[in-house]
Amino acid sequence: MIKVERIDTRSKAEVQRFVEIAFRLYADCPQWVPPLRTDVRTMLNRDKHPFYEHSDADFFIATQGGQDVGRIGALENRRFNEYHDSRQAQFYLFECVDDHEVAQALFNRVFEWSRARGLDEVVGPKGFSPFDGYGIQVEGTEHRQMMMMMNYNYDYYPDLVETLGFEKEVDFISTYIKLADFEVPDRIHRIAERVKKRRNLAVHSFRSKLELRRWKGRIGAAYNRTFVNNWEYYPLTENEIDFTFSDLVLAANPELIKVVLHEGEIVGFILGFPDVSRGLQRANGSLLPLGIFHILLDMRRTQWVSLNGVGIVPKFQGLGGNALLYSEMAKTVKGDFDFVHAELTQVAESAVQMRRDLINLGAKPYKNHRVYIRHI
């Protein structure tokens, strides 16, 4: 018999049960990168996560034979729904053994939860912020997860949700770049220089995390202006910007982050991060006592870099702005670093021109995460 319970997020024991399901499920999986337990607990904490200032969520655990065999979160992002004039619920943090009945029981609770709130669609996986990672991985599960910037799952997950009537909503494709083969033509660099002069654009690089912290509000505001046409977009609140970009600063190497300025206003950015996946695997979800040491050591040794946030405001797209981004991207990842590999993490399939440009520059699609939708 399968039983599904809503957890009490004020109970440390129940939250811990929810968190540990993933750690048990992927204990022997070399591609999975454990999240920090504190980060997952914060997602469930209504007093700490700014999502709950405007929206709501509940979390469920499935048990069978006295064992926890699955979990799921049901979210209502009211700011997203208001912006898009939609009535969507989201599912997130879905983990499940390879059992269709367990998956059905979990999603039945999500459907009930959603209908009770007058919502008529369920979409996901889709989290609490744009940097939580989208989708169920449908291609490339043989490759290691890129930190916590994307989800990872076993190959049976797509079948679990598709059997329940979910269909594709949008794909997010990640591309691999072997930096030795990544050459931006001189023509692109020349166009970039002309664009800077003609459009009065400048590129600002960062030297320290302190400087980054001073700019985080401006970078967040630029995000709110850049992705207005994206499927996943909704305007972040000031507290969400502060929360999200404070986390990003902790994981950042300032020299891998650049912003494009027009008359002092940020109109574009490149957010690069050293891939510390191996360090996170050794930390196994905890910073103490040695987790932080493993992560810092991996930050110095890693041969991988993730570009997870590359964009320019619509006003400058098609006016040479993309050439400027590609030129700066190449300078960033091939600068004074020892990186061998790069990943452009989770670009929506709707960004057709960017994906085409990247392939022409030598990038290869190698992971695909699919967001699913079902009408209820």
Side-chain angles (χ1 to χ4, degrees):
M1 181 179 175
I2 300 165
K3 184 178 179 181
V4 178
E5 303 171 282
R6 181 176 67 84
I7 70 165
D8 180 358
T9 55
R10 295 168 298 180
S11 166
K12 290 183 179 180
E14 291 190 23
V15 168
Q16 192 65 13
R17 278 180 59 203
F18 187 92
V19 170
E20 292 302 319
I21 289 171
F23 282 82
R24 288 198 302 275
L25 193 63
Y26 294 101
D28 300 318
C29 179
Q31 292 84 17
W32 184 66
V33 176
L36 294 175
R37 288 175 171 87
T38 55
D39 288 349
V40 183
R41 288 196 290 264
T42 298
M43 290 181 185
L44 275 60
N45 191 319
R46 287 171 167 79
D47 297 324
K48 290 186 177 181
H49 202 292
F51 175 86
Y52 297 101
E53 294 173 2
H54 56 74
S55 296
D56 195 16
D58 277 310
F59 306 90
F60 304 92
I61 291 177
T63 58
Q64 187 176 39
Q67 298 293 319
D68 293 337
V69 291
R71 73 179 196 190
I72 199 165
L75 288 65
E76 180 186 4
N77 188 329
R78 297 187 184 114
R79 280 180 69 84
F80 177 90
N81 283 336
E82 289 169 6
Y83 184 84
H84 291 273
D85 192 24
S86 59
R87 291 186 293 166
Q88 289 187 351
Q90 301 169 199
F91 74 87
Y92 191 57
L93 298 172
F94 170 58
E95 301 293 355
C96 187
V97 296
D98 189 5
D99 188 315
H100 285 85
E101 291 185 4
V102 175
Q104 176 79 70
L106 284 166
F107 275 100
N108 281 346
R109 290 300 298 270
V110 174
F111 299 152
E112 293 168 6
W113 188 93
S114 304
R115 292 189 188 104
R117 286 158 176 77
L119 308 176
D120 56 20
E121 294 178 322
V122 175
V123 177
K126 188 179 175 191
F128 297 82
S129 87
F131 293 93
D132 284 339
Y134 295 103
I136 286 175
Q137 191 164 359
V138 295
E139 294 175 17
T141 53
E142 69 273 21
H143 301 292
R144 189 180 64 208
Q145 179 183 359
M146 181 57 74
M147 297 185 281
M148 286 88 74
M149 295 176 176
M150 59 170 59
N151 304 322
Y152 184 83
N153 53 261
Y154 289 121
D155 287 338
Y156 63 80
Y157 274 54
D159 182 57
L160 289 181
V161 297
E162 290 170 9
T163 300
L164 294 172
F166 281 92
E167 299 177 343
K168 172 187 166 180
E169 170 72 348
V170 63
D171 284 353
F172 285 84
I173 294 96
S174 299
T175 56
Y176 167 75
I177 302 170
K178 186 177 181 181
L179 293 178
D181 301 331
F182 184 56
E183 293 295 338
V184 174
D186 289 340
R187 178 178 61 87
I188 299 296
H189 291 300
R190 290 196 298 270
I191 292 172
E193 289 303 314
R194 287 201 301 269
V195 168
K196 285 197 286 187
K197 292 177 182 177
R198 291 178 181 175
R199 304 292 175 187
N200 193 23
L201 299 176
V203 176
H204 180 81
S205 302
F206 294 89
R207 296 183 178 275
S208 69
K209 289 193 175 185
L210 178 60
E211 185 185 14
L212 259 181
R213 289 189 181 95
R214 290 172 180 159
W215 283 64
K216 67 182 180 181
R218 295 170 66 183
I219 296 173
Y223 168 88
N224 270 347
R225 295 191 305 271
T226 300
F227 296 116
V228 290
N229 298 321
N230 284 26
W231 164 86
E232 71 275 15
Y233 174 81
Y234 71 93
L236 299 178
T237 66
E238 287 188 18
N239 284 341
E240 284 177 309
I241 288 172
D242 183 70
F243 180 89
T244 299
F245 285 88
S246 292
D247 275 359
L248 292 181
V249 167
L250 289 175
N253 179 334
E255 296 176 25
L256 291 171
I257 294 181
K258 296 181 178 180
V259 294
V260 180
L261 301 173
H262 177 254
E263 298 178 354
E265 180 180 64
I266 299 177
V267 296
F269 43 80
I270 298 171
L271 307 180
F273 303 89
D275 173 28
V276 293
S277 296
R278 290 193 185 279
L280 287 165
Q281 287 178 324
R282 295 188 185 100
N284 196 33
S286 301
L287 289 176
L288 298 175
L290 295 176
I292 188 65
F293 167 78
H294 291 305
I295 293 168
L296 291 175
L297 186 63
D298 200 29
M299 191 173 288
R300 295 171 55 190
R301 293 181 174 180
T302 183
Q303 294 184 330
W304 280 78
V305 59
S306 167
L307 295 168
N308 186 22
V310 178
I312 195 161
V313 296
K315 176 181 176 181
F316 292 97
Q317 294 172 8
L319 297 175
N322 284 357
L324 178 56
L325 285 180
Y326 302 140
S327 174
E328 291 299 328
M329 189 189 305
K331 293 175 186 177
T332 300
V333 298
K334 299 187 77 170
D336 297 328
F337 300 101
D338 296 323
F339 297 129
V340 178
H341 316 281
E343 178 183 283
L344 193 64
T345 304
Q346 293 212 316
V347 177
E349 64 178 341
S350 55
V352 176
Q353 188 60 52
M354 175 174 277
R355 291 181 53 236
R356 185 182 296 129
D357 291 343
L358 288 167
I359 291 171
N360 290 337
L361 293 172
K364 294 181 169 67
Y366 83 128
K367 294 176 183 174
N368 187 6
H369 287 76
R370 180 161 296 164
V371 176
Y372 287 90
I373 187 169
R374 178 181 148 166
H375 298 272
I376 57 173

